[in-house]
Amino acid sequence: MKVSLILATVDRLAEMENFLEKLERQVYRDFELIVVDQNEDDRLVPLLDRYEPNFPILRLRSPRGLSRARNIGLRYVTGDIVSFPDDDCWYDPELLCKAVHLFVRNPEASIITGRSIDADGKDAVGKFDHVEGSVDKYNVWRRAVSFTIFLRKEAADAIGGFDEEIGVGASSIYHSGEETDYILRALCRFNVYYYPDLTVRHPNPLLQYSPQIIRRAYKYGCGFGKVVTKHRYTVRFKIRALLKPFLGMMLFCTAFQFPKSQYYWNSFKGRLRGML
Protein backbone atom coordinates (compact mmCIF):
# COMPACT_ATOMS: atom_id res chain seq x y z
CA MET A 1 0.00 0.00 0.00
CA LYS A 2 1.24 3.44 -0.91
CA VAL A 3 1.14 6.14 1.79
CA SER A 4 0.44 9.79 0.91
CA LEU A 5 1.69 12.31 3.47
CA ILE A 6 0.09 15.76 3.26
CA LEU A 7 2.28 18.30 5.05
CA ALA A 8 1.29 21.97 5.30
CA THR A 9 4.12 24.29 6.28
CA VAL A 10 4.85 27.96 6.89
CA ASP A 11 7.74 29.83 8.56
CA ARG A 12 9.64 26.67 9.49
CA LEU A 13 12.85 25.60 7.79
CA ALA A 14 14.93 23.82 10.46
CA GLU A 15 11.90 21.79 11.55
CA MET A 16 11.19 20.82 7.94
CA GLU A 17 14.77 19.70 7.47
CA ASN A 18 14.48 17.52 10.58
CA PHE A 19 11.23 15.98 9.29
CA LEU A 20 12.73 15.23 5.87
CA GLU A 21 15.88 13.78 7.37
CA LYS A 22 13.83 11.37 9.52
CA LEU A 23 11.47 10.59 6.65
CA GLU A 24 14.41 9.56 4.47
CA ARG A 25 15.26 6.90 7.08
CA GLN A 26 11.89 5.14 6.86
CA VAL A 27 12.08 1.37 6.51
CA TYR A 28 8.87 1.39 4.47
CA ARG A 29 9.61 3.09 1.15
CA ASP A 30 6.29 3.16 -0.73
CA PHE A 31 5.22 6.70 0.13
CA GLU A 32 4.89 10.17 -1.37
CA LEU A 33 5.22 13.54 0.33
CA ILE A 34 2.80 16.29 -0.68
CA VAL A 35 4.14 19.59 0.68
CA VAL A 36 1.63 22.46 0.73
CA ASP A 37 3.91 25.48 0.97
CA GLN A 38 2.33 28.56 2.58
CA ASN A 39 5.50 30.64 2.65
CA GLU A 40 5.46 33.78 0.53
CA ASP A 41 8.91 32.98 -0.89
CA ASP A 42 10.75 29.91 -2.19
CA ARG A 43 12.85 29.20 0.88
CA LEU A 44 11.83 25.54 0.84
CA VAL A 45 12.86 24.82 -2.74
CA PRO A 46 16.59 24.09 -2.14
CA LEU A 47 15.71 21.83 0.80
CA LEU A 48 13.06 19.89 -1.12
CA ASP A 49 15.36 19.58 -4.14
CA ARG A 50 17.96 17.93 -1.93
CA TYR A 51 15.58 15.15 -0.84
CA GLU A 52 13.53 14.69 -4.01
CA PRO A 53 15.98 12.12 -5.47
CA ASN A 54 15.32 9.92 -2.40
CA PHE A 55 11.50 9.85 -2.45
CA PRO A 56 8.66 11.50 -4.42
CA ILE A 57 7.89 15.08 -3.37
CA LEU A 58 5.11 17.23 -4.78
CA ARG A 59 5.22 20.91 -3.80
CA LEU A 60 1.97 22.87 -3.95
CA ARG A 61 1.20 26.46 -2.98
CA SER A 62 -1.61 27.72 -0.78
CA PRO A 63 -2.72 30.80 1.14
CA ARG A 64 -2.31 30.46 4.88
CA GLY A 65 -4.66 28.24 6.83
CA LEU A 66 -3.94 24.68 7.90
CA SER A 67 -7.31 23.22 6.93
CA ARG A 68 -7.24 25.04 3.60
CA ALA A 69 -3.77 23.64 2.85
CA ARG A 70 -4.75 20.08 3.72
CA ASN A 71 -7.80 20.28 1.50
CA ILE A 72 -5.60 21.35 -1.41
CA GLY A 73 -3.25 18.47 -0.71
CA LEU A 74 -6.11 15.96 -0.62
CA ARG A 75 -6.85 16.69 -4.28
CA TYR A 76 -3.46 15.30 -5.31
CA VAL A 77 -3.33 12.08 -3.29
CA THR A 78 -2.32 8.98 -5.25
CA GLY A 79 -1.76 6.64 -2.31
CA ASP A 80 -3.95 4.06 -0.60
CA ILE A 81 -3.40 5.53 2.87
CA VAL A 82 -3.42 9.23 3.81
CA SER A 83 -1.83 11.00 6.76
CA PHE A 84 -1.26 14.62 7.83
CA PRO A 85 2.16 15.18 9.45
CA ASP A 86 2.92 18.53 11.08
CA ASP A 87 5.94 20.43 9.83
CA ASP A 88 7.54 20.21 13.29
CA CYS A 89 6.87 16.53 13.97
CA TRP A 90 9.19 13.66 13.03
CA TYR A 91 8.94 9.92 12.43
CA ASP A 92 10.88 7.05 13.96
CA PRO A 93 12.23 4.72 11.20
CA GLU A 94 9.55 2.04 11.71
CA LEU A 95 6.51 4.31 11.84
CA LEU A 96 5.13 3.92 8.32
CA CYS A 97 5.85 0.19 8.44
CA LYS A 98 3.79 -0.06 11.65
CA ALA A 99 0.89 1.93 10.21
CA VAL A 100 0.71 -0.17 7.03
CA HIS A 101 0.98 -3.38 9.04
CA LEU A 102 -2.00 -2.33 11.17
CA PHE A 103 -4.13 -1.86 8.05
CA VAL A 104 -2.97 -5.20 6.63
CA ARG A 105 -3.71 -6.93 9.93
CA ASN A 106 -7.13 -5.27 10.17
CA PRO A 107 -8.58 -5.09 6.64
CA GLU A 108 -11.89 -3.82 8.06
CA ALA A 109 -10.17 -0.79 9.61
CA SER A 110 -10.74 2.42 7.67
CA ILE A 111 -9.08 4.84 10.10
CA ILE A 112 -6.45 4.35 12.78
CA THR A 113 -4.97 6.88 15.17
CA GLY A 114 -1.88 6.92 17.33
CA ARG A 115 -0.20 8.80 20.17
CA SER A 116 1.98 11.90 20.16
CA ILE A 117 5.22 11.72 22.15
CA ASP A 118 8.19 14.05 22.55
CA ALA A 119 11.88 13.25 22.16
CA ASP A 120 11.91 11.63 25.61
CA GLY A 121 8.91 9.40 24.90
CA LYS A 122 6.47 11.39 27.06
CA ASP A 123 3.00 12.45 25.92
CA ALA A 124 3.11 15.66 23.90
CA VAL A 125 0.36 17.96 22.62
CA GLY A 126 -2.10 16.61 25.17
CA LYS A 127 -2.71 13.61 27.39
CA PHE A 128 -3.28 10.29 25.66
CA ASP A 129 -4.81 6.97 26.65
CA HIS A 130 -2.27 4.18 27.04
CA VAL A 131 -4.64 1.34 26.18
CA GLU A 132 -5.84 0.63 22.66
CA GLY A 133 -9.48 0.63 21.65
CA SER A 134 -12.20 2.19 19.58
CA VAL A 135 -12.50 5.95 19.28
CA ASP A 136 -15.83 7.53 20.16
CA LYS A 137 -17.30 10.99 20.64
CA TYR A 138 -15.99 11.35 24.19
CA ASN A 139 -12.57 9.69 24.16
CA VAL A 140 -11.54 11.23 20.82
CA TRP A 141 -9.87 14.08 22.72
CA ARG A 142 -7.43 11.55 24.24
CA ARG A 143 -7.07 9.30 21.19
CA ALA A 144 -6.50 11.46 18.14
CA VAL A 145 -4.39 14.39 17.01
CA SER A 146 -4.03 15.33 13.36
CA PHE A 147 -0.48 14.12 12.72
CA THR A 148 -1.21 10.66 14.19
CA ILE A 149 -4.23 9.98 11.96
CA PHE A 150 -3.92 7.44 9.14
CA LEU A 151 -6.90 6.59 6.93
CA ARG A 152 -7.68 4.75 3.75
CA LYS A 153 -8.18 6.98 0.73
CA GLU A 154 -11.75 5.73 0.30
CA ALA A 155 -12.53 7.02 3.79
CA ALA A 156 -10.86 10.36 3.09
CA ASP A 157 -12.93 10.72 -0.09
CA ALA A 158 -16.13 9.92 1.80
CA ILE A 159 -15.44 12.26 4.73
CA GLY A 160 -14.59 15.20 2.51
CA GLY A 161 -12.25 18.04 3.42
CA PHE A 162 -11.42 19.74 6.68
CA ASP A 163 -13.67 22.56 7.88
CA GLU A 164 -11.74 25.65 6.74
CA GLU A 165 -13.40 27.81 9.41
CA ILE A 166 -11.46 25.81 12.02
CA GLY A 167 -7.71 25.30 12.45
CA VAL A 168 -4.45 27.22 12.76
CA GLY A 169 -4.34 30.15 10.35
CA ALA A 170 -8.09 30.21 9.75
CA SER A 171 -9.63 33.63 9.16
CA SER A 172 -11.90 32.98 12.15
CA ILE A 173 -11.03 32.89 15.87
CA TYR A 174 -11.27 29.07 15.90
CA HIS A 175 -7.62 28.01 15.67
CA SER A 176 -7.82 24.40 16.82
CA GLY A 177 -10.04 21.33 16.72
CA GLU A 178 -10.11 20.76 12.96
CA GLU A 179 -8.82 17.19 13.27
CA THR A 180 -11.30 16.38 16.05
CA ASP A 181 -14.12 17.72 13.90
CA TYR A 182 -12.78 15.58 11.04
CA ILE A 183 -12.78 12.40 13.16
CA LEU A 184 -16.21 13.16 14.64
CA ARG A 185 -17.60 13.43 11.13
CA ALA A 186 -15.84 10.18 10.23
CA LEU A 187 -17.45 8.36 13.16
CA CYS A 188 -20.83 8.75 11.50
CA ARG A 189 -19.70 6.33 8.77
CA PHE A 190 -16.53 4.53 9.87
CA ASN A 191 -15.00 2.73 12.80
CA VAL A 192 -11.91 4.49 14.15
CA TYR A 193 -9.37 2.54 16.20
CA TYR A 194 -6.62 3.87 18.46
CA TYR A 195 -3.20 2.25 18.91
CA PRO A 196 -1.04 3.91 21.59
CA ASP A 197 2.04 2.07 20.31
CA LEU A 198 1.71 3.90 16.99
CA THR A 199 3.65 7.01 17.98
CA VAL A 200 4.68 10.20 16.20
CA ARG A 201 7.25 12.50 17.77
CA HIS A 202 6.42 16.16 18.34
CA PRO A 203 7.81 18.90 20.59
CA ASN A 204 5.80 19.55 23.72
CA PRO A 205 4.66 23.19 23.47
CA LEU A 206 3.81 23.42 27.18
CA LEU A 207 7.30 22.85 28.55
CA GLN A 208 7.55 26.63 28.65
CA TYR A 209 4.65 29.06 28.87
CA SER A 210 5.98 31.63 26.44
CA PRO A 211 4.01 34.78 25.58
CA GLN A 212 3.11 33.23 22.21
CA ILE A 213 1.77 30.04 23.82
CA ILE A 214 -0.20 32.11 26.34
CA ARG A 215 -1.74 34.31 23.63
CA ARG A 216 -2.73 31.46 21.35
CA ALA A 217 -4.49 29.63 24.21
CA TYR A 218 -7.50 31.87 23.60
CA LYS A 219 -7.97 30.98 19.93
CA TYR A 220 -7.19 27.33 20.62
CA GLY A 221 -9.87 27.43 23.30
CA CYS A 222 -12.28 29.02 20.83
CA GLY A 223 -11.66 26.13 18.43
CA PHE A 224 -12.36 23.58 21.14
CA GLY A 225 -15.60 25.32 22.07
CA LYS A 226 -16.65 25.57 18.43
CA VAL A 227 -16.23 21.81 17.87
CA VAL A 228 -18.03 20.95 21.11
CA THR A 229 -20.99 23.10 20.07
CA LYS A 230 -21.00 21.96 16.44
CA HIS A 231 -21.23 18.31 17.50
CA ARG A 232 -23.81 18.90 20.22
CA TYR A 233 -21.96 17.71 23.29
CA THR A 234 -23.93 17.51 26.51
CA VAL A 235 -24.20 20.39 28.97
CA ARG A 236 -22.38 18.22 31.51
CA PHE A 237 -19.44 17.77 29.14
CA LYS A 238 -19.30 21.50 28.45
CA ILE A 239 -19.32 22.39 32.16
CA ARG A 240 -16.47 19.96 32.86
CA ALA A 241 -14.55 21.34 29.87
CA LEU A 242 -14.89 24.85 31.30
CA LEU A 243 -14.09 23.89 34.87
CA LYS A 244 -10.73 22.36 34.01
CA PRO A 245 -9.02 25.55 32.73
CA PHE A 246 -10.84 27.70 35.27
CA LEU A 247 -9.57 25.62 38.18
CA GLY A 248 -6.13 25.56 36.59
CA MET A 249 -6.15 29.33 36.47
CA MET A 250 -7.10 29.52 40.16
CA LEU A 251 -4.53 26.92 41.22
CA PHE A 252 -1.56 28.49 39.47
CA CYS A 253 -2.60 31.98 40.50
CA THR A 254 -2.56 31.04 44.20
CA ALA A 255 0.82 29.36 43.60
CA PHE A 256 2.09 32.64 42.06
CA GLN A 257 2.76 30.87 38.74
CA PHE A 258 1.28 33.71 36.75
CA PRO A 259 2.25 32.65 33.18
CA LYS A 260 0.51 29.28 33.69
CA SER A 261 -2.43 31.01 35.32
CA GLN A 262 -2.79 33.38 32.36
CA TYR A 263 -2.57 30.46 29.94
CA TYR A 264 -5.46 28.66 31.63
CA TRP A 265 -7.47 31.88 31.93
CA ASN A 266 -7.13 32.48 28.18
CA SER A 267 -8.07 28.87 27.51
CA PHE A 268 -11.18 29.22 29.70
CA LYS A 269 -12.25 32.43 27.97
CA GLY A 270 -11.70 30.91 24.56
CA ARG A 271 -13.66 27.74 25.33
CA LEU A 272 -16.55 29.79 26.66
CA ARG A 273 -16.49 32.09 23.62
CA GLY A 274 -16.44 29.13 21.25
CA MET A 275 -19.44 27.54 22.96
CA LEU A 276 -21.62 30.67 22.67
Side-chain angles (χ1 to χ4, degrees):
M1 288 187 285
K2 182 179 179 180
V3 183
S4 294
L5 306 171
I6 300 173
L7 186 153
T9 184
V10 63
D11 295 337
R12 283 177 174 153
L13 191 59
E15 294 89 346
M16 273 293 297
E17 184 167 12
N18 180 58
F19 176 82
L20 291 167
E21 179 186 342
K22 301 301 191 297
L23 187 60
E24 202 280 327
R25 299 178 186 177
Q26 287 299 298
V27 173
Y28 192 81
R29 304 304 300 176
D30 192 4
F31 65 86
E32 65 178 357
L33 177 63
I34 301 171
V35 176
V36 188
D37 186 354
Q38 298 181 299
N39 293 295
E40 295 180 357
D41 54 29
D42 292 328
R43 71 186 72 180
L44 283 183
V45 172
L47 179 61
L48 297 179
D49 286 347
R50 193 194 321 163
Y51 283 92
E52 193 165 14
N54 302 329
F55 49 83
I57 300 177
L58 173 64
R59 175 176 174 255
L60 307 171
R61 301 304 300 266
S62 164
R64 295 201 178 196
L66 181 56
S67 293
R68 180 183 297 112
R70 286 173 174 162
N71 288 344
I72 290 173
L74 281 167
R75 301 173 195 165
Y76 293 85
V77 165
T78 64
D80 307 291
I81 299 171
V82 185
S83 191
F84 308 97
D86 274 2
D87 58 0
D88 58 344
C89 77
W90 66 98
Y91 291 170
D92 289 336
E94 299 282 347
L95 175 69
L96 293 183
C97 190
K98 286 181 180 178
V100 170
H101 175 72
L102 288 170
F103 281 109
V104 172
R105 195 179 78 187
N106 303 293
E108 75 287 351
S110 296
I111 306 170
I112 61 173
T113 66
R115 185 163 58 99
S116 169
I117 60 174
D118 62 16
D120 298 321
K122 299 177 181 177
D123 283 356
V125 198
K127 297 294 184 182
F128 290 85
D129 289 343
H130 287 252
V131 293
E132 69 176 62
S134 297
V135 176
D136 61 34
K137 183 175 180 178
Y138 290 96
N139 66 27
V140 63
W141 307 94
R142 308 185 308 276
R143 295 190 170 190
V145 65
S146 59
F147 54 87
T148 69
I149 296 170
F150 292 82
L151 69 161
R152 297 186 189 272
K153 186 178 184 299
E154 311 89 83
D157 291 341
I159 298 165
F162 288 82
D163 184 342
E164 295 186 8
E165 187 184 12
I166 309 172
V168 174
S171 57
S172 69
I173 59 173
Y174 310 117
H175 280 206
S176 74
E178 77 287 344
E179 73 269 47
T180 307
D181 171 69
Y182 190 80
I183 292 295
L184 289 169
R185 285 157 47 208
L187 286 171
C188 297
R189 303 183 62 174
F190 302 100
N191 292 323
V192 183
Y193 207 80
Y194 168 72
Y195 295 95
D197 293 334
L198 183 69
T199 56
V200 177
R201 306 236 177 214
H202 193 287
N204 189 343
L206 295 184
L207 291 179
Q208 294 182 340
Y209 288 82
S210 66
Q212 178 187 5
I213 295 294
I214 292 170
R215 285 194 303 270
R216 80 181 190 185
Y218 176 76
K219 288 187 176 180
Y220 276 30
C222 288
F224 176 95
K226 173 70 172 179
V227 172
V228 164
T229 300
K230 179 179 178 179
H231 291 277
R232 300 183 179 182
Y233 277 79
T234 64
V235 172
R236 180 180 179 183
F237 181 92
K238 291 180 178 179
I239 291 173
R240 291 180 64 183
L242 289 171
L243 275 176
K244 183 177 179 180
F246 184 82
L247 293 175
M249 179 272 295
M250 296 290 290
L251 173 65
F252 290 115
C253 185
T254 56
F256 302 104
Q257 297 184 41
F258 298 118
K260 286 187 179 182
S261 179
Q262 185 63 49
Y263 170 86
Y264 282 104
W265 176 238
N266 285 350
S267 180
F268 167 78
K269 291 190 296 182
R271 290 186 176 196
L272 182 60
R273 171 67 179 80
M275 291 179 190
L276 297 178

